[in-house]
Amino acid sequence: MEKLLAVVGVVAVVAIVFVARQLRAADRARRSAEERDRTISSLQRRLEELNEDRRATETVLSSMEEGVVLVGSVGGIRLINAAAERHLQTRPTTLARLQPVAFQDAVRKAAAGRSSVIVEMETGNPSRWLRASAIPVDEDGTVLLVVRDVTEARRLEAVRRDLVANASHELKTPAASIQAAAETIRTAVRDDPAAIPPFAEQLEREAVRLSRIVSDLLDLSRLEAGSDLAEHVSLGRLLQEERERLEQAATERRIALSVRDEPTPSVWGSARDLSLLVRNLVDNAIRYTRPGGRVDVSLSGQGEEVVLSVADTGVGIPTRELPRIFERFYRVDRARSRETGGTGLGLSIVKHVIENHGGTVNVTSELGRGTCFEVRLPAATT
Ligand code: ADP
């Protein structure tokens, strides 16, 4: 019996030890499973974060205006965004296929010299100006190429250069004339005072001309930055305000002026700039019409638009000149423009005011018979 009890005791102890070991093993297994789950979810989180980072990088790269090309150390293209494809008009896979060749050279130079290289060149069809900056980004020779389309910036630069050259030329003529008249007056005061009046008149005329050019240039540069669209403007009222001055100018030149305006909706915009538009168009019509001619100004509402039409029976504009008349300082008849006090900037001002107000202009003309400018401006919606 004792023996039996001893055996049972041993069996019980063995069983307890066994169960305890099993429990410990199960506990270890549970802990390691939990550990594994934790590792998996942390890896998943990291992966999601990486995916999010990748997506964010892709979004940034694809929405950039600048082209981005990442060239690896062995000449493979590791990354290229949509803008780069657009600018380069191709999707190269290796540096050797990158066009234009000048950009390949820039990348190689940047990798070899470990400093940025910038090239600007005209390329493609239709041709555009591209500016590429090759920037070394890694010791191993990886280079980032950033490509920008600078065509518009170069065009604006050229326009500005031309404007400065033209404006200087335009200002030089009256300035020289003023100087000559002043010198003549200075000697005439001593030698021949009776000769002074015509030179004094010349002085005044040219000074007025100079100040007109400066004032038009200032208006133009203000309008290039945009109009201050901030009020309801009644074109009918603007015409009424200008009427007396315009009638006087027409009478002086023996021109019959008629102004016909029906009630029209207002235009959302700048009264100051819209009156420049009205004034320049009607002044031109009067200036380019011979005595005995007519100028008809009419204002009407058509659908969602306000239409201003200025028609004259004047000298007309040759068809081939029509596309150029809105350019700064462009004149069809230089002598007539000068003689009637023109600056060559009136229609440029008109074009900018119309564009700033979201409108359009149409010109029809017949040489020797007359011209009609029709301006359409969107009516204010509220
Ligand atoms: P300008 O001060 O010389 O009149 P604008 O810019 O106002 O300059 O006009 C440009 C040119 O367009 C004028 O020089 C003139 O040759 C032509 N032009 C403008 N309006 C008329 C018109 N109503 N009839 C005939 N020619 C016109």
Side-chain angles (χ1 to χ4, degrees):
M1 185 63 181
E2 257 176 34
K3 255 186 190 172
L4 186 64
L5 279 176
V7 169
V8 169
V10 167
V11 169
V13 167
V14 168
I16 287 167
V17 168
F18 178 75
V19 169
R21 274 196 186 150
Q22 287 302 311
L23 283 174
R24 267 209 306 277
D27 191 40
R28 264 205 309 278
R30 186 178 49 78
R31 274 210 303 272
S32 90
E34 277 172 8
E35 182 85 354
R36 198 188 56 225
D37 287 352
R38 267 201 302 277
T39 311
I40 287 173
S41 40
S42 126
L43 276 173
Q44 264 168 349
R45 260 201 317 278
R46 185 76 199 106
L47 213 60
E48 270 162 28
E49 278 168 15
L50 283 173
N51 272 338
E52 256 170 46
D53 286 354
R54 192 172 51 79
R55 275 198 297 274
T57 311
E58 273 171 11
T59 310
V60 171
L61 283 172
S62 65
S63 54
M64 276 172 75
E65 218 3 82
E66 283 91 2
V68 172
V69 184
L70 189 65
V71 186
S73 53
V74 285
I77 289 186
R78 286 169 38 194
L79 183 150
I80 178 162
N81 73 346
E85 274 183 58
R86 212 168 47 241
H87 295 329
L88 301 170
Q89 294 180 342
T90 159
R91 189 187 170 82
T93 47
T94 61
L95 178 60
R97 286 173 185 268
L98 182 70
Q99 292 292 338
V101 175
F103 290 1
Q104 286 182 30
D105 296 343
V107 170
R108 291 197 183 97
K109 257 195 219 148
R114 303 260 162 80
S115 63
S116 300
V117 177
I118 296 173
V119 260
E120 198 166 305
M121 63 175 310
E122 197 176 10
T123 181
N125 188 17
S127 100
R128 285 146 320 112
W129 278 90
L130 296 182
R131 181 184 168 86
S133 313
I135 308 152
V137 286
D138 206 334
E139 294 284 295
D140 68 356
T142 302
V143 173
L144 185 69
L145 187 74
V146 180
V147 185
R148 291 182 197 91
D149 188 332
V150 291
T151 317
E152 184 58 12
R154 284 185 77 104
R155 192 189 65 77
L156 288 176
E157 204 182 291
V159 167
R160 225 159 273 284
R161 251 199 326 267
D162 281 359
L163 175 64
V164 171
N166 286 336
S168 315
H169 178 75
E170 296 285 336
L171 293 169
K172 241 165 73 184
T173 318
S177 200
I178 288 172
Q179 195 179 354
E183 277 165 14
T184 313
I185 289 172
R186 187 156 45 83
T187 45
V189 166
R190 198 184 52 224
D191 304 338
D192 184 11
I196 291 175
F199 292 103
E201 269 172 36
Q202 176 184 337
L203 200 80
E204 195 181 336
R205 208 172 43 242
E206 297 299 334
V208 167
R209 183 170 155 69
L210 203 66
S211 96
R212 255 197 220 132
I213 298 175
V214 172
S215 145
D216 277 1
L217 277 171
L218 288 174
D219 277 332
L220 201 56
S221 82
R222 184 176 54 76
L223 288 165
E224 275 182 349
S227 288
D228 185 15
L229 311 178
E231 56 196 317
H232 281 277
V233 185
S234 154
L235 287 188
R237 199 156 62 234
L238 285 188
L239 269 177
Q240 291 309 328
E241 283 167 12
E242 290 289 316
R243 196 168 187 147
E244 202 178 313
R245 196 187 63 80
L246 294 171
E247 268 168 0
Q248 198 183 331
T251 310
E252 273 169 22
R253 290 185 59 84
R254 287 199 299 111
I255 285 164
L257 172 71
S258 92
V259 179
R260 194 166 48 83
D261 65 314
E262 56 183 58
T264 50
S266 60
V267 168
W268 184 251
S270 152
R272 177 186 181 188
D273 295 349
L274 288 167
S275 58
L276 282 179
L277 162 83
V278 172
R279 206 177 304 158
N280 274 298
L281 283 181
V282 185
D283 270 347
N284 275 357
I286 295 172
R287 286 171 45 231
Y288 294 104
T289 300
R290 295 197 179 89
R294 297 190 50 78
V295 170
D296 293 304
V297 182
S298 75
L299 189 63
S300 61
Q302 290 177 18
E304 311 280 277
E305 290 177 327
V306 177
V307 183
L308 169 73
S309 143
V310 181
D312 63 54
T313 58
V315 294
I317 303 168
T319 312
R320 65 168 191 286
E321 307 273 3
L322 283 175
R324 300 203 59 188
I325 56 171
F326 291 96
E327 289 174 21
R328 296 184 187 100
F329 294 121
Y330 190 81
R331 297 158 171 115
V332 179
D333 182 344
R334 189 161 279 274
R336 191 179 191 97
S337 161
R338 194 179 154 75
E339 181 194 306
T340 55
T343 62
L345 294 171
L347 287 184
S348 253
I349 290 176
V350 163
K351 185 188 87 174
H352 277 86
V353 175
I354 296 170
E355 280 175 2
N356 291 351
H357 286 78
T360 56
V361 59
N362 183 45
V363 192
T364 47
S365 188
E366 207 178 320
L367 209 54
R369 299 190 74 100
T371 305
C372 177
F373 285 81
E374 190 183 79
V375 177
R376 291 176 174 268
L377 295 167
T381 45
T382 50

